[in-house]
Amino acid sequence: MKVQTPLMQVEKLSVEFGNKVRAVRDVDLTVYEGETLGLVGESGCGKSTLGKAMLRVIEPSSGAIRYRGLNITDLRGTVLRSTRAELQMVFQDPFGSLNPRRKVADIVAEPLLRARGADKKTARETALDLLDLVGLGREAGERRPHEFSGGQRQRIGIARALAPGPRFVVADEPVSALDVSIQAQVINLLADLTRDRELTMLFISHDLGVVRHVADRVAVMYLGEIIEIASRDAFFAAPAHPYSEALLSSVPQLSQEPRERIVLEGELPDPAAPPPGCTYHTRCRYAVDKCRTTPPPLAEVQPGRSVRCHLPLIAITERPNA
Ligand code: SF4
Ligand code: MG
C-alpha cells in the first residue's frame, strides 16, 4: 500500500456566519497528497464553505488549517499570498467569476501576477500555454469571456486556477452549471490535469455519479458535519451511514441489482437550529431513542472508513426498526 502523506488538514474547524449559524461544525478532515477527495451532500450542508475555509477565502471562526504541516490558519500578508499560489479554486459558475471586460489571457495571467509576483511577459506566456493545454488554443487569449460557451468558460476557469502552479485545488461543483453532454469533457480534462500535474483535489459536488468518476475517497457532509468518509469503492459498494444510503439510492447502479429508492423525508433542517442528538435523526428511518439525545462521534468502523452513527449499516446485521 502506498504511503499517504497529508497535504491539507483541518482540525476542529468551524465557520460561523454573523447570525450564529455554524455552517461548518468541528470538522476534522485530511486530504492526502495526490488524491481526489469527493465532498458530497445536499446544497446548504456546508461543502462550499468548508472548501473556501481550507483556502482561507472564508475565515474560520475556530480550529486549525494545516497545509504541508504548516499551520496556515493565521497567516497574513506576503506569506499568505505566496501560500495561496499553491491553493486554488475552480468555481461552479465560471462566467460569474470571469471579468467580462478583460481579455482571457489577462484573466488567466492575473493570479500568477498577484500570487507569484511574475513579470507580465512570463505571466502572459504561461497563460497562453495553459489556454492551449485546456484545449482552447493560444488564440483564445485575445478574446473575451462572452465569446465562449459554458464549457469553454469552465476551461478558462481551470486554466486560471492552474496559472500559479497550485498543488491543492478545490473544485466547487465545477460541472453543475454545464449541459450534461459537456460535463464529461470537463471532468476528463480535470482528471487528466490532476494526474499530469500531480495535483491534490477536493472535488465538491452534489452529484454522486460525477464523484464516482473522479474521486479516490468520498466524504459526506450533513448540516456542517462530516458524517461518513470512505474509499470510493467501499462507499459505492455499501454505504455505512443511513444518510449516505439515502443519497446513494438515487444514483443509477451500473452492474448491480437496483437499490431500493429511499426518499429523504422532509427538508434539510435549519442550520441555525440543528436537531439535538444525531442531527440526522429527524430524517433517519433507523432512528432510536438514543439518536434523539446523544450525538454520535465520527468513529472508525473499518480501516480507513469512519461513520458518525450509533448504528452504522455495515457493522450490524439486525436493525431495530428497519
Ligand atoms: Fe440514524 Fe441514529 Fe445513525 Fe443518526 S445515529 S444516522 S438517527 S441511526
Ligand atoms: Mg455550494
Side-chain angles (χ1 to χ4, degrees), residues 47-48 172-173:
K47 309 185 295 292
S48 303
D172 188 4
E173 303 273 9

Side-chain angles (χ1 to χ4, degrees), residues 252-320:
Q253 299 297 303
L254 299 176
S255 56
Q256 295 169 22
E257 295 287 300
R259 285 197 166 106
E260 175 196 1
R261 176 81 191 254
I262 302 162
V263 179
L264 275 170
E265 302 286 342
E267 299 285 303
L268 194 63
D270 180 0
C278 171
T279 56
Y280 185 58
H281 84 251
T282 53
R283 301 165 87 186
C284 182
R285 60 178 184 159
Y286 306 114
V288 295
D289 284 350
K290 185 184 183 186
C291 303
R292 297 179 187 96
T293 53
T294 312
L298 186 65
E300 190 163 65
V301 292
Q302 284 174 345
R305 176 173 215 172
S306 297
V307 183
R308 190 184 295 282
C309 175
H310 294 306
L311 309 164
L313 298 171
I314 54 165
I316 54 174
T317 48
E318 289 193 4
R319 310 199 57 82

Side-chain angles (χ1 to χ4, degrees), residues 192-239:
D192 290 348
L193 292 168
T194 307
R195 191 191 54 236
D196 297 346
R197 302 198 150 220
E198 299 179 343
L199 299 175
T200 303
M201 186 156 68
L202 182 74
F203 188 97
I204 298 173
S205 179
H206 66 280
D207 185 338
L208 281 165
V210 168
V211 167
R212 184 181 208 154
H213 279 288
V214 298
D216 301 301
R217 288 194 304 147
V218 179
V220 185
M221 269 185 103
Y222 188 77
L223 280 179
E225 293 179 316
I226 303 288
I227 54 99
E228 175 161 3
I229 182 155
S231 73
R232 184 249 324 258
D233 293 345
F235 181 80
F236 283 99

